[in-house]
């Protein structure tokens, strides 16, 4: 099945597509080779370190070009390090491989059956002296090599595979609270690869179902897909990525990913945070990012923005029925072209929506969305308010052709209505503000709009019906 970018962005990702994914995967499970980590020496008793068994099992699967990995509903302890003793390597404490699959041309299935992979206690993360094993603390940015330490690069890494990929019913526990944390490394915070799930350069159909990936020292999920059009759309459904240090999910490359009923919450909220600290970060690095869709997903209570997209060659994402809650940062930061939000709810302010003066279709679009500042809707009873401001619910100072259509701005607490210029378009919107502070929703008004509150509309452009505090406003000549 081929899904074009236009179909994906316009919302033609249907239940039939999901059913096609699941049907094809159920057929492959019946015909794939059956292996377990116990066949390679794993105990799965929650005490014994099973890293070597998982690595041996992965090599076995790779040698056969794929297979069906079946786990038990138990806890497997993983993560192992080797001390370099100052031998000149980049790592003071280098991680061992756990499950790393590469080049599989046949189906690759990981049936979790409720299993948990948990990182072993006491492993080092950060920077440490390779001889003494003591933590080092260097001023950022810090790119010095020789002191890096990580408990694992990936719990599961799948790369360069052309066969079908399916992962289901599995927990990946980074055990952040059990790590020995050293000094920071990178441009900011802790940028040392320690991720739950990595999907790298895969051409085959990827389906990730009922995955809980949490408390990892970097990202819960990292996607760096192939830099060309694929004939499939990868599916993530009922995935939770929470309490990770840097990101719930980083998308740095690839095309065609659908996230359904997923949660990307509480990044940086487990005692250690590293920028950007987002729920989802769309940040193309050396590749393009295209054709993303998020349906009924949640981005809540992250250290940074719930969604951040402002780097690299990224374009084209639709968010339908999603919830964004900003407690200590912006609810969303969608500064990439052709991002579209439909029937979404934002609790807390948005910022830096992408504007385009020459090509309006590239600007961010909001349709039937609601913007609120109600603390009762926040899991912490806090709603982010930028310092030294009156807290506009949307901060859009220079964002031409960003459009709000049939949207509601209901700010009944400490925030104010959007801070915009006439370049932003409001169509058939309603706005309510209870704060006595002035607000400045100075957009271009088309259709029929109603505003109630203390507003200053100097330089606004009125092209349709606009009623402010019960008074019809004259059209702009």
């Amino acid at each position: 099945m081929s899904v074009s970018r236009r179909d994906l962005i316009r919302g033609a990702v249907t239940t039939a597509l999901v059913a096609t994914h699941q049907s094809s995967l159920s057929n492959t499970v019946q015909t794939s080779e059956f292996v377990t980590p116990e066949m390679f020496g794993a105990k799965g008793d929650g005490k014994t370190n099973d890293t070597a068994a998982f690595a041996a099992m992965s090599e076995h699967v790779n040698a056969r070009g794929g297979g069906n990995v079946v786990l038990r509903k138990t806890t497997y302890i993983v993560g192992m390090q080797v001390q370099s003793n100052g031998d000149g390597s980049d790592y003071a404490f280098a991680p061992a491989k756990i499950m790393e699959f590469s080049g599989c041309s046949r189906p690759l299935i990981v049936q979790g059956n409720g299993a948990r992979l948990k990182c072993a206690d006491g492993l080092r993360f950060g920077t440490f002296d390779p001889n003494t094993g003591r933590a080092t603390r260097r001023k950022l940015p810090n790119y010095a090599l020789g002191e890096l330490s990580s408990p694992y690069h990936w719990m599961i890494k799948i790369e360069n595979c052309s066969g079908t990929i399916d992962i289901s019913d599995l927990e990946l526990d980074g055990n952040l609270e059990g790590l020995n944390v050293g000094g920071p490394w990178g441009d900011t915070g802790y940028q040392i690869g320690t991720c739950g799930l990595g999907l790298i350069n895969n051409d085959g159909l990827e389906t990730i179902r009922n995955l809980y990936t949490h408390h990892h020292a970097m990202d819960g999920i990292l996607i760096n897909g192939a830099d060309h059009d694929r004939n499939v759309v990868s599916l993530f459904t009922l995935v939770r990525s929470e309490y990770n240090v840097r990101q719930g999910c980083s998308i740095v490359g690839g095309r065609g990913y659908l996230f359904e009923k997923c949660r990307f919450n509480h990044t940086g909220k487990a005692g250690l945070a590293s920028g950007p600290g987002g729920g989802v970060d769309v940040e193309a690095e050396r590749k393009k990012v295209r054709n993303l869709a998020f349906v009924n997903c949640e981005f809540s209570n992250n250290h940074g923005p719930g969604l951040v997209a402002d780097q690299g060659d990224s374009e084209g994402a639709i968010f339908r029925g999603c919830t964004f809650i900003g407690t200590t940062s912006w609810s969303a930061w969608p500064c990439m072209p052709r991002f579209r939000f439909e029937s979404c709810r934002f609790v807390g302010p948005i910022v830096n929506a992408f504007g385009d003066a020459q090509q309006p279709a590239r600007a961010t679009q909001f349709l039937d969305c609601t913007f609120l500042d109600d603390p009762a809707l926040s899991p912490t009873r806090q709603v982010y308010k930028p310092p030294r401001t009156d807290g506009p619910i949307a901060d859009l100072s220079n964002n031409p052709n960003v459009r709000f259509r049939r949207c509601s701005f209901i700010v009944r607490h400490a925030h104010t209505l959007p801070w915009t210029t006439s370049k932003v378009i409001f169509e058939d919107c309603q706005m309510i503000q209870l704060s006595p502070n002035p607000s400045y929703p100075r957009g271009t008004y088309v259709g029929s709009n109603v505003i109630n509150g203390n507003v200053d509309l100097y330089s606004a452009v009125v092209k349709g019906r606009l009623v402010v505090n019960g008074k019809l406003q004259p059209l702009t000549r």
Side-chain angles (χ1 to χ4, degrees):
M1 174 182 288
S2 176
V3 179
S4 71
R5 185 181 69 80
R6 179 173 297 177
D7 287 339
L8 182 58
I9 297 306
R10 288 185 176 178
V13 181
T14 64
T15 303
L17 174 61
V18 177
T20 300
H21 279 71
Q22 295 174 338
S23 175
S24 64
L25 287 167
S26 64
N27 292 334
T28 61
V29 169
Q30 298 173 4
T31 59
S32 298
E33 178 186 1
F34 174 99
V35 294
T36 70
E38 284 79 6
M39 296 166 67
F40 299 84
K43 300 298 182 182
D45 57 9
K47 299 177 182 179
T48 305
N49 195 307
D50 291 324
T51 299
F54 275 95
M57 178 190 67
S58 302
E59 291 180 2
H60 173 87
V61 171
N62 288 336
R64 285 152 181 78
N68 184 10
V69 175
V70 180
L71 307 181
R72 292 187 292 120
K73 187 177 182 179
T74 188
T75 296
Y76 298 93
I77 300 300
V78 295
M80 189 176 293
Q81 295 176 318
V82 177
Q83 187 172 0
S84 70
N85 295 315
D87 61 7
S89 64
D90 293 348
Y91 277 79
F93 291 84
K97 294 181 179 180
I98 303 176
M99 274 198 280
E100 297 195 12
F101 303 101
S102 180
C104 294
S105 56
R106 296 172 51 223
L108 172 64
I109 299 97
V110 179
Q111 293 180 277
N113 295 312
R116 175 171 68 154
L117 272 63
K118 181 181 179 182
C119 181
D121 287 330
L123 297 181
R124 290 172 171 82
F125 173 74
T127 59
F128 291 82
D129 185 286
N131 296 303
T132 67
R134 296 175 181 171
T136 59
R137 308 282 176 181
R138 301 186 185 278
K139 184 179 178 180
L140 293 177
N142 172 24
Y143 296 106
L145 299 177
E147 297 180 342
L148 296 175
S149 302
S150 177
Y152 50 88
H153 284 314
W154 318 86
M155 280 196 174
I156 302 177
K157 179 184 181 184
I158 303 175
E159 65 176 338
N160 298 324
C161 292
S162 58
T164 297
I165 296 165
D166 177 50
I167 301 174
S168 63
D169 305 316
L170 181 62
E171 179 180 351
L172 304 179
D173 181 355
N175 190 22
L176 180 62
E177 65 276 15
L179 298 182
N180 181 359
V181 179
W185 188 89
D187 57 342
T188 179
Y190 292 80
Q191 306 290 333
I192 304 171
T194 308
C195 297
L197 171 65
L199 298 171
I200 318 295
N201 290 330
N202 298 313
D203 281 330
L205 179 72
E206 299 163 318
T207 297
I208 315 299
R209 297 173 291 164
N210 196 26
L211 172 71
Y212 182 31
T213 176
H214 61 99
H215 290 92
H216 297 284
M218 197 167 83
D219 298 346
I221 301 169
L222 189 146
I223 298 171
N224 190 2
D227 195 20
H228 55 259
D229 288 329
R230 302 186 299 161
N231 292 324
V232 295
V233 174
S234 294
L235 172 66
F236 294 72
T237 183
L238 297 173
V239 170
R240 288 188 297 152
S241 187
E242 300 178 328
Y243 295 103
N244 301 294
V245 170
R246 190 183 74 163
Q247 244 83 256
C249 178
S250 290
I251 305 174
V252 301
R255 307 169 187 234
Y257 295 91
L258 165 62
F259 300 84
E260 178 188 62
K261 298 179 182 178
C262 297
R263 298 180 183 178
F264 307 99
N265 301 338
H266 314 304
T267 300
K269 301 291 180 143
L272 192 65
S274 183
V280 170
D281 181 21
V282 181
E283 183 176 346
E285 293 184 349
R286 289 174 288 274
K287 301 176 183 176
K288 296 178 180 179
V289 173
R290 297 287 189 274
N291 313 342
L292 307 178
F294 296 81
V295 179
N296 297 328
C297 294
E298 184 176 84
F299 310 73
S300 175
N301 186 37
N302 294 288
H303 178 77
L307 164 72
V308 58
D310 70 347
Q311 297 289 329
D313 189 356
S314 304
E315 182 173 336
I318 186 168
F319 300 80
R320 181 178 293 116
C322 295
T323 298
F324 302 82
I325 303 176
T327 57
T328 55
S329 186
W330 310 95
S331 60
W333 182 311
C335 195
M336 282 286 120
R338 302 186 192 278
F339 275 46
R340 183 181 180 97
F341 298 84
E342 299 179 1
S343 302
C344 293
R345 183 172 70 170
F346 299 84
V347 179
I350 66 169
V351 71
N352 290 338
F354 184 82
D356 194 314
Q358 304 302 319
Q359 301 183 59
R362 284 166 48 87
T364 307
Q365 310 287 304
F366 298 89
L367 286 79
D368 300 304
C369 294
T370 304
F371 300 82
L372 305 151
D373 68 340
D374 187 352
L377 301 175
S378 163
T380 65
R381 297 300 186 265
Q382 294 179 322
V383 177
Y384 177 64
K385 186 177 180 182
R388 298 181 298 278
T389 73
D390 289 330
I393 201 68
D395 190 345
L396 305 173
S397 59
N398 185 23
N399 309 79
N401 288 313
V402 170
R403 180 180 289 266
F404 297 91
R405 184 181 183 192
R406 297 192 303 271
C407 292
S408 297
F409 300 84
I410 313 297
V411 288
R412 302 181 183 275
H413 301 272
H415 291 70
T416 57
L417 292 173
W419 199 101
T420 57
T421 68
S422 61
K423 298 177 181 179
V424 172
I425 302 168
F426 295 101
E427 178 182 359
D428 299 328
C429 295
Q430 64 167 328
M431 304 185 189
I432 299 174
Q433 173 185 313
L434 293 189
S435 169
N437 295 322
S439 60
Y440 304 90
R442 297 167 293 185
T444 293
Y445 288 86
V446 299
S448 180
N449 300 272
V450 177
I451 304 177
N452 287 286
N454 184 9
V455 297
D456 182 343
L457 296 181
Y458 176 75
S459 78
V461 176
V462 182
K463 294 185 176 182
R465 179 180 172 84
L466 174 61
V467 177
V468 179
N469 297 320
K471 184 178 180 180
L472 181 65
Q473 303 299 298
L475 297 177
T476 301
R477 297 186 182 278

